[in-house]
């Protein structure tokens, strides 16, 4: 392990090379060994203020100065760690935030904020085990503090994490706790998030009546909040559940309502989402001509938007429709175009016999982590 002076020199050298995030990680690692080192603390603050983080960090640091917390190594290191996380420097943020925990603090609330941030950082790095462990610690801190809002947030994160790991029982338990707390707090946004997540979990376990009820309740909350985008997306979720129940007429009605709101909002991306879901609905009806026309519209919108992920989805739908129509040459061309997309955008071909369905963005397909 490097000595504190070596960490300081390493930090200065990395800063000189323009590797700002790594430089901050080096200073933090040194402070974890010697929290009383004023040289390392000053060096870290100076490095942060000379980095691209300055614009977002400076107002927070000025607040710390007013509160006389700018000399607290734990507070400074944890604040910089969370700024690194916000800026997308996930690896460096983990090093810095873990260093903050090693420095330590008597404040449970501050420790809780670091646990929450670390859960986000580890999730972004694909380390679900460490991420979930920090979520659990975040939850315990919130319970100890009697912080129902923090508890609600932590249950939401845990529910999404367990869902992504296929642990539906724990996902249901956590999202139910999230919903109860959201209702106690009269937090409509958190309640809507919990209900939407519950809808996805119920769908995954084949409990379609409860899935439908959850998404319907979300639509009601969205209307009450005049949140048309959420209303549109939840209508899309309802449509997907109706398809799973074999109720084609209601599914199409939901997707057409979704499309109508998307057009009224002028959201081409949401319009593409609705057309994609309509295409999937007509796949189930075995009306492949109509499915093709909807997926072709998705492709047009994707190319207008310059969004390759949407384009890939359109080619997947077009390829599936062509395959079902026994036009194997056209199917091959569409799937080759789908596979020609950069790897980062590819989610794999649709399962045999099932077209791709585009559910709510930020739903259970992605972890809806909410930092503290």
């Amino acid at each position: 392990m490097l000595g504190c002076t070596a960490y300081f020199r390493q930090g200065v050298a990395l800063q000189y090379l323009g590797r700002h995030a790594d430089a901050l990680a080096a200073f933090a690692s040194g402070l974890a060994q010697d929290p009383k080192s004023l040289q390392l603390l000053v060096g870290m603050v100076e490095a942060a203020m000379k980095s691209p983080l300055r614009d977002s960090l400076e107002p927070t640091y000025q607040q710390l100065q007013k509160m006389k917390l700018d000399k607290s190594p734990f507070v400074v290191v944890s604040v910089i760690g969370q700024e690194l996380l916000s800026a997308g420097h996930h690896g460096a943020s983990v090093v810095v935030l873990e260093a903050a925990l090693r420095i330590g603090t008597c404040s449970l609330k501050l420790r809780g904020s670091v646990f929450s941030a670390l859960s986000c950082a580890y999730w972004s790095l694909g380390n679900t085990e460490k991420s979930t462990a920090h979520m659990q610690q975040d939850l315990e801190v919130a319970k100890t503090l009697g912080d129902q809002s923090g508890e609600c947030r932590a249950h939401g994160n845990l529910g999404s994490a367990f869902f992504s790991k296929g642990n539906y029982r724990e996902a249901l338990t956590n999202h139910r706790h999230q919903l109860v707390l959201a209702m106690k707090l009269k937090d409509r946004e958190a309640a809507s998030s919990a209900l939407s997540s519950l809808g996805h979990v119920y769908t995954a376990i084949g409990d379609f009546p409860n899935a439908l009820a959850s998404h319907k309740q979300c639509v009601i909350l969205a209307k009450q909040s005049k949140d048309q985008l959420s209303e549109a997306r939840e209508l899309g979720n309802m449509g997907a559940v109706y398809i799973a129940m074999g109720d084609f007429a209601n599914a199409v009605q939901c997707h057409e309502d979704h499309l109508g709101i998307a057009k009224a909002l002028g959201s081409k991306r949401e319009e593409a989402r609705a057309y994609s879901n309509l295409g999937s609905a007509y796949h189930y009806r075995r009306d492949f001509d109509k499915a093709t026309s909807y997926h072709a519209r998705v492709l047009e919108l994707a190319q207008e938007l310059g969004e390759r992920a949407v384009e890939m989805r359109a080619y997947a739908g077009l390829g599936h429709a062509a395959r079902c129509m026994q036009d194997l040459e056209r199917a091959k061309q569409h799937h080759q175009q789908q596979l020609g997309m950069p790897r980062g955008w590819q989610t794999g071909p649709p399962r045999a016999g099932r077209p791709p369905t585009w559910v709510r963005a930020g739903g259970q397909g992605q972890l809806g982590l909410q930092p503290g």
Side-chain angles (χ1 to χ4, degrees):
M1 189 176 285
L2 294 174
C4 296
T5 304
Y7 276 118
F8 178 81
R9 287 174 180 160
Q10 185 184 51
V12 171
L14 288 165
Q15 185 188 347
Y16 180 76
L17 292 170
R19 292 170 57 186
H20 301 288
D22 292 334
L24 293 168
F27 286 120
S29 297
L31 280 165
Q33 277 193 48
D34 182 7
K36 294 179 181 177
S37 171
L38 192 59
Q39 183 189 40
L40 283 165
L41 185 63
V42 170
M44 186 170 192
V45 171
E46 285 182 355
M49 291 304 177
K50 289 176 182 174
S51 77
L53 298 179
R54 177 172 184 151
D55 288 346
S56 56
L57 179 62
E58 198 165 27
T60 307
Y61 187 71
Q62 286 170 355
Q63 284 294 110
L64 295 183
Q65 287 176 315
K66 285 178 187 174
M67 297 163 71
K68 301 194 185 305
L69 290 171
D70 57 308
K71 296 294 188 289
S72 164
F74 174 86
V75 172
V76 171
V77 171
S78 61
V79 164
I80 290 173
Q82 292 185 52
E83 289 292 340
L84 284 166
L85 175 61
S86 298
H89 298 290
H90 302 123
S93 72
V94 161
V95 175
V96 175
L97 291 164
E98 289 284 14
L101 287 181
R102 291 201 301 279
I103 291 165
T105 177
C106 296
S107 168
L108 259 183
K109 189 170 184 179
L110 291 176
R111 278 177 66 80
S113 73
V114 174
F115 288 140
S116 180
L118 274 167
S119 70
C120 291
Y122 275 120
W123 190 269
S124 299
L125 291 170
N127 190 332
T128 56
E129 292 306 316
K130 282 198 172 181
S131 176
T132 306
H134 284 300
M135 288 177 201
Q136 295 279 14
Q137 289 173 299
D138 183 25
L139 177 61
E140 291 308 313
V141 168
K143 283 181 176 177
T144 303
L145 292 170
D147 175 8
Q148 289 192 323
S149 180
E151 203 178 328
C152 180
R153 182 199 68 245
H155 275 303
N157 286 342
L158 280 164
S160 295
F162 282 121
F163 181 92
S164 73
K165 293 158 80 171
N167 188 338
Y168 302 131
R169 180 177 292 188
E170 287 294 332
L172 276 177
T173 298
N174 278 283
H175 285 310
R176 282 170 178 160
H177 282 310
Q178 179 192 11
L179 180 59
V180 169
L181 287 161
M183 289 169 72
K184 273 188 190 176
L185 294 163
K186 295 184 171 56
D187 185 336
R188 193 176 286 170
E189 189 178 337
S192 181
S193 174
L195 283 163
S196 184
S197 296
L198 282 167
H200 291 303
V201 183
Y202 284 128
T203 299
I205 62 176
D207 185 348
F208 302 126
N210 269 323
L212 192 59
S214 298
H215 290 308
K216 276 184 177 177
Q217 192 62 40
C218 273
V219 171
I220 292 167
L221 289 176
K223 283 181 175 175
Q224 289 173 352
S225 303
K226 295 184 170 51
D227 184 348
Q228 287 188 293
L229 186 59
S230 290
E231 182 186 348
R233 289 177 177 176
E234 288 303 325
L235 283 165
N237 287 334
M238 283 175 59
V241 177
Y242 275 125
I243 281 291
M245 296 170 77
D247 187 341
F248 176 78
N250 274 318
V252 168
Q253 186 60 59
C254 284
H255 292 318
E256 285 180 347
D257 290 345
H258 180 185
L259 179 62
I261 295 172
K263 285 183 173 179
L265 290 171
S267 170
K268 287 188 177 181
R269 194 172 199 286
E270 206 57 40
E271 199 180 325
R273 191 184 303 279
Y275 276 123
S276 184
N277 285 339
L278 278 164
S280 296
Y282 279 97
H283 275 287
Y284 284 94
R285 192 63 180 264
R286 301 192 68 76
D287 186 341
F288 301 118
D289 286 325
K290 205 152 191 179
T292 297
S293 69
Y294 283 125
H295 290 305
R297 183 67 185 125
V298 177
L299 182 59
E300 286 173 23
L301 287 164
Q303 289 170 345
E304 281 180 44
L305 291 164
E307 292 205 16
R308 289 179 175 178
V310 184
E311 196 174 341
M312 178 277 292
R313 189 175 297 277
Y315 281 127
L318 287 165
H320 182 79
R323 195 164 71 249
C324 292
M325 294 165 80
Q326 301 301 309
D327 188 344
L328 300 184
E329 186 55 40
R330 191 153 55 96
K332 180 183 174 184
Q333 287 172 6
H334 288 313
H335 286 310
Q336 281 176 336
Q337 285 167 303
Q338 176 194 358
L339 294 167
M341 296 296 156
R343 283 179 180 271
W345 293 106
Q346 208 174 302
T347 58
R351 287 171 287 174
R354 296 196 63 181
T357 301
W358 194 350
V359 296
R360 173 177 179 252
Q364 290 291 358
Q366 299 171 303
L367 183 66
L369 280 172
Q370 310 158 68

